[in-house]
């Protein structure tokens, strides 16, 4: 069976945009001990309404390592503005010091050494303990609202194999009150509706609409009715879910407006959500907030968003009536909120709570006589060893991971790849615990350009398909593996676990490859945040290139050279491999199986997987940008 896709389909799908001789095995972790600095997790209530915020957990129920970027370039108005600061510049802007727990949490600085010192971050059993402590400090759960900014149900082997149900059940134990979505919509519509019905909180989104044809479809109406009507909130307005909710907290009326990822319809396969449409819908947001202010008369209005930080900043400036934005999508840990003025001259606080359960944001509102008198914010790094595991959550996670992989497991949208026969009869824990090789360096993904985990993925694609070039989407999810640690199947799944993980090989001309890279770069570096995708640059294996982010579309990408030294020529044809296609389903093996087999087949002496080369692009006109530091490639 052929596993090629044609050039037209390929260009459509790329709309995503997107060592020592021996390596000792690390034996010790978290040498700082189990106790945090005095008062580290003490946040006395300052007001009468407390918001607790997490986002972009990406299916990570267990504690993880996650290296923050050393390249996060801002362009246009975002030049030098948080979150587009890295390393020491970020610490200075946020009022934090080097060589501290905060430095470990918020930056890449001394990552390997600090990871050994402080250990892993996140983990739902530990987040639950922290949330309960913060609720108690607020006078009880009734005085709090716990918000999730989306990308909760995707990003792990267990979330893929349970179709997100593991995360929904864990969220209910966690006590989530309200959430929005993005990768949630990459399960099938019936699976999304089932999860929304199972979720004990409110799933909201003012910018998710039912398509007009689907509103007239008896089939869609019957589908929604199976799940108590959740998924067709307002037939007249066409809302697929509640656009907002009003909560009574400690005598105050709080409105939470939902905003799903606006570009879901472009960035992810529409076959998963044929009846729903997405968009920024700023005009609708403005009109809705005005109506809420007039008719609902809330004491405060907040936006729970998956726009991405830069888009949230622009929207907060242009939508009057918002008091705060709890943002997600771009994985930015913001120790302090960005305070912006809207068109009415009023202040709105914009935040983002990082990713992978690494941070909990705490915002207190002081509401008196129906007026917001004050706001206070603090973000807390979740350092796992400093927080005891909640017993109920820990028991749930352990039990869930003992589920057995069977023929009902769905791994692919292709009928002949629904499940892996080699995994039948094994528990999730057994599958994910498989040791593959030892990392010869720290493997990470996050950053505007090539990460070491991305290189592993690209190498695997080229190995599988005997390709000149490999492409891997510049997504920001995916955890880190420390140098000297075993790479496990769980690590592989955190880099690959999506519902459309089929791989492909195709042929492209040098001009097509150049134009594709230009398009993705424009999604990342267009000065208007409303025209950005919120991801990082597509990862390219087997090819080096030069990029100047300051240039215009069509002028950023130059000097393209293959690993064998050949210059890429516009009119010559090259074999290109990849995965995560947005349009027609390719016929290659699933990505996680490809990566697993590549690692097992290419590890060397001492079970070490060595990366001989990292295809980092050469960067031009970036060294005056405070969003880059310690770049491992060439930069000027």
């Amino acid at each position: 069976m052929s596993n090629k896709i044609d050039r037209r389909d390929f260009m459509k799908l790329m709309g995503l945009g997107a060592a020592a001789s021996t390596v000792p095995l690390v034996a010790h972790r978290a040498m700082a001990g189990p106790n945090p600095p005095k008062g580290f997790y003490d946040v006395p209530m300052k007001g009468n309404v407390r918001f607790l915020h997490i986002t972009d957990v990406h299916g990570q129920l267990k504690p993880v390592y996650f290296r923050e970027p050393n390249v996060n370039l801002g362009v246009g108005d975002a030049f030098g503005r948080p979150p587009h600061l890295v390393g020491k510049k970020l610490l200075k802007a946020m009022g934090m010091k080097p060589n501290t727990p905060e430095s470990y949490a918020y930056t890449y600085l001394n990552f390997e050494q600090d990871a050994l010192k402080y250990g892993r971050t996140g983990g739902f059993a530990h987040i639950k303990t922290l949330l309960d402590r913060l609720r108690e400090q607020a006078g009880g759960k009734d005085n709090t609202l716990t918000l999730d900014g989306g990308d909760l149900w995707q990003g792990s082997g267990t979330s893929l194999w349970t179709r997100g149900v593991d995360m929904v059940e864990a969220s209910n134990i966690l006590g989530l009150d309200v959430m929005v979505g993005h990768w949630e919509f990459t399960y099938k519509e019936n699976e999304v509706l089932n999860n929304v019905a199972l979720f004990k909180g409110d799933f909201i989104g003012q910018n998710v609409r039912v398509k007009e044809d689907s509103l007239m479809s008896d089939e869609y109406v019957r589908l929604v009715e199976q799940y108590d009507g959740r998924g067709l909130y307002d037939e007249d307005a066409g809302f697929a879910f509640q656009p907002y909710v009003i909560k009574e907290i400690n005598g105050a009326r709080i409105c939470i407006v939902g905003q799903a990822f606006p570009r879901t319809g472009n960035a992810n396969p529409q076959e998963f959500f044929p009846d729903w449409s997405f968009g920024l819908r700023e005009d609708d947001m403005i009109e809705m907030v005005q109506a809420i202010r007039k008719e609902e008369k809330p004491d405060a209005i907040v936006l729970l968003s998956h726009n991405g930080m830069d888009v949230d900043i622009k929207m907060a400036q242009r939508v009057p009536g918002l008091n705060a934005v709890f943002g997600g999508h771009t994985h930015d840990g913001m120790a302090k909120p960005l305070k912006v003025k809207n068109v009415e001259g009023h202040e709105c606080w914009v935040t983002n709570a990082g990713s992978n359960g690494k941070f909990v944001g705490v915002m207190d509102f002081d509401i008196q006589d129906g007026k917001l008198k004050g706001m206070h914010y603090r973000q807390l790094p979740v350092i796992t060893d400093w927080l005891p595991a909640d017993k109920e959550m820990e028991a749930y996670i352990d039990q869930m991971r003992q589920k057995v992989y069977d023929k009902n497991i769905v791994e692919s949208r292709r009928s002949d790849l629904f499940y892996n026969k080699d995994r039948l009869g094994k528990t999730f824990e057994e599958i994910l615990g498989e040791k593959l090789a030892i990392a010869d360096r720290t493997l990470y993904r996050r950053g505007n350009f090539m990460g070491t985990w991305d290189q592993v993925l690209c190498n695997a694609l080229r190995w599988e398909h005997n390709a000149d070039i490999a492409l891997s989407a510049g997504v920001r999810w995916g955890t880190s593996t420390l140098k000297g640690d075993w790479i496990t199947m769980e690590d592989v799944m955190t880099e690959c676990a999506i519902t459309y993980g089929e791989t492909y090989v195709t042929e492209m001309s040098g001009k097509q490859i150049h134009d594709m890279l230009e398009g993705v770069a424009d999604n990342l570096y267009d000065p208007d945040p409303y025209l950005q995708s919120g991801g990082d640059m597509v990862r390219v294996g087997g090819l080096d290139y030069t990029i100047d982010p300051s240039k215009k579309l069509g002028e950023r990408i130059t000097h393209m050279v293959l690993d064998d030294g050949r210059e890429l020529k516009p009119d010559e044809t090259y074999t290109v491999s990849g995965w995560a296609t947005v349009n027609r389903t390719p016929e290659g093996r699933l990505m996680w199986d490809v990566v697993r087999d590549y690692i097992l087949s290419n590890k060397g002496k001492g079970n070490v997987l060595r990366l001989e080369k990292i295809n980092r692009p050469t960067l031009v006109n970036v060294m005056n940008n405070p969003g880059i530091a310690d770049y491992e490639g060439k930069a000027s």
Side-chain angles (χ1 to χ4, degrees), residues 376-444:
H376 305 271
Y377 186 75
R378 184 174 169 187
Q379 191 168 93
L380 301 173
V382 182
I383 298 179
T384 305
D385 287 341
W386 288 355
L387 293 160
D390 176 81
K391 298 303 182 184
E392 180 185 9
M393 185 70 78
E394 188 175 46
Y396 164 72
I397 296 171
D398 290 345
Q399 182 181 33
M400 180 273 298
R401 291 171 68 92
Q402 292 304 313
K403 289 185 177 180
V404 174
Y405 186 102
D406 60 31
K407 291 184 178 180
N408 295 316
I409 298 291
V410 178
E411 286 198 307
S412 170
R413 52 185 171 170
R414 275 187 54 203
S415 60
D416 59 337
L417 290 177
F418 268 20
Y419 62 90
N420 185 305
K421 296 179 177 61
D422 293 337
R423 291 196 269 275
L424 290 175
K426 297 179 181 179
T427 66
F428 293 172
E429 185 71 42
E430 290 171 332
I431 297 167
L432 297 171
E434 181 186 11
K435 295 179 178 180
L436 305 178
I438 296 171
D440 76 332
R441 68 197 70 203
T442 292
L443 302 178
Y444 64 91

Side-chain angles (χ1 to χ4, degrees), residues 181-233:
H182 170 205
W183 281 89
E184 284 72 15
F185 299 110
T186 61
Y187 298 105
K188 293 181 179 180
E189 282 183 354
N190 67 307
E191 294 170 335
V192 175
L193 294 174
N194 177 73
N195 287 347
V196 170
L198 181 62
F199 178 46
K200 293 181 180 178
D202 294 294
F203 189 95
I204 64 175
Q206 73 86 21
N207 62 330
V208 188
R209 307 294 169 83
V210 181
K211 294 177 181 177
E212 188 171 350
D213 289 346
S214 299
L215 284 171
M216 307 298 292
S217 166
D218 291 338
E219 182 180 354
Y220 180 70
V221 172
R222 284 194 296 269
L223 172 65
V224 172
E225 286 176 348
Q226 294 178 28
Y227 303 100
D228 299 324
R230 304 186 74 175
L232 183 56
Y233 175 73

Side-chain angles (χ1 to χ4, degrees), residues 463-485:
W463 172 82
E464 171 82 356
H465 295 290
N466 193 28
D468 297 316
I469 298 168
L471 301 174
S472 186
V475 294
R476 296 187 172 188
W477 47 269
T479 62
S480 303
T481 304
L482 297 188
K483 175 182 178 180
D485 275 3

Side-chain angles (χ1 to χ4, degrees), residues 166-364:
D166 66 327
M167 299 307 300
V168 179
E169 292 181 336
S171 299
N172 290 336
I173 298 171
L174 199 66
L176 283 185
D177 295 306
V178 189
M179 70 173 291
V180 295
H182 170 205
W183 281 89
E184 284 72 15
F185 299 110
T186 61
Y187 298 105
K188 293 181 179 180
E189 282 183 354
N190 67 307
E191 294 170 335
V192 175
L193 294 174
N194 177 73
N195 287 347
V196 170
L198 181 62
F199 178 46
K200 293 181 180 178
D202 294 294
F203 189 95
I204 64 175
Q206 73 86 21
N207 62 330
V208 188
R209 307 294 169 83
V210 181
K211 294 177 181 177
E212 188 171 350
D213 289 346
S214 299
L215 284 171
M216 307 298 292
S217 166
D218 291 338
E219 182 180 354
Y220 180 70
V221 172
R222 284 194 296 269
L223 172 65
V224 172
E225 286 176 348
Q226 294 178 28
Y227 303 100
D228 299 324
R230 304 186 74 175
L232 183 56
Y233 175 73
D234 187 326
E235 185 173 353
D236 294 332
F239 291 116
F241 305 95
Q242 298 177 82
Y244 67 90
V245 290
I246 301 287
K247 299 289 187 178
E248 297 277 349
I249 305 295
N250 211 5
R253 282 174 57 79
I254 307 297
C255 177
I256 306 100
V257 181
Q259 178 83 349
F261 180 51
R263 290 190 169 206
T264 300
N266 304 107
N268 307 103
Q270 294 194 28
E271 67 185 82
F272 294 120
F273 40 86
D275 298 302
W276 300 329
S277 68
F278 302 81
L280 196 67
R281 295 187 165 124
E282 181 191 86
D283 291 342
D284 292 345
M285 175 82 74
I286 293 172
E287 183 179 345
M288 178 177 293
V289 172
Q290 289 175 339
I292 291 169
R293 294 165 79 182
K294 180 179 179 180
E295 299 168 11
E296 301 278 8
K297 295 181 171 53
D299 300 319
I301 304 176
V302 303
L303 177 64
L304 181 59
S305 164
H306 202 81
N307 280 330
M309 188 75 185
D310 290 336
V311 177
D312 282 335
I313 292 168
K314 182 173 179 178
M315 183 168 279
Q317 293 169 335
R318 294 162 64 95
V319 178
L322 298 177
N323 300 112
V325 179
F326 297 94
H329 182 56
T330 41
H331 294 199
D332 302 305
M334 291 290 293
K336 293 181 179 179
L338 198 69
K339 303 175 182 180
V340 303
K341 289 288 182 69
N342 67 23
V343 292
E344 293 181 339
H346 298 142
E347 194 172 74
C348 178
W349 289 14
V350 181
T351 70
N352 195 295
S355 66
N356 294 283
K358 195 175 180 182
F359 304 100
V360 171
V362 187
M363 188 178 292
D364 292 342

Side-chain angles (χ1 to χ4, degrees), residues 41-52 127-146 174-175 250 360 362 364 380 387-388 390:
Y41 290 122
D42 292 341
V43 187
M45 179 77 149
K46 295 182 178 179
N48 54 345
V49 177
R50 168 162 289 185
F51 298 92
L52 302 170
I127 297 172
K128 175 67 160 59
T129 296
L130 179 56
L131 290 177
D132 286 347
R133 187 175 301 181
L134 294 168
R135 291 161 178 157
E136 182 181 356
Q137 293 169 7
K141 190 178 188 302
D142 291 345
N143 296 338
T144 70
L145 279 171
T146 305
L174 199 66
N250 211 5
V360 171
V362 187
D364 292 342
L380 301 173
L387 293 160
D390 176 81

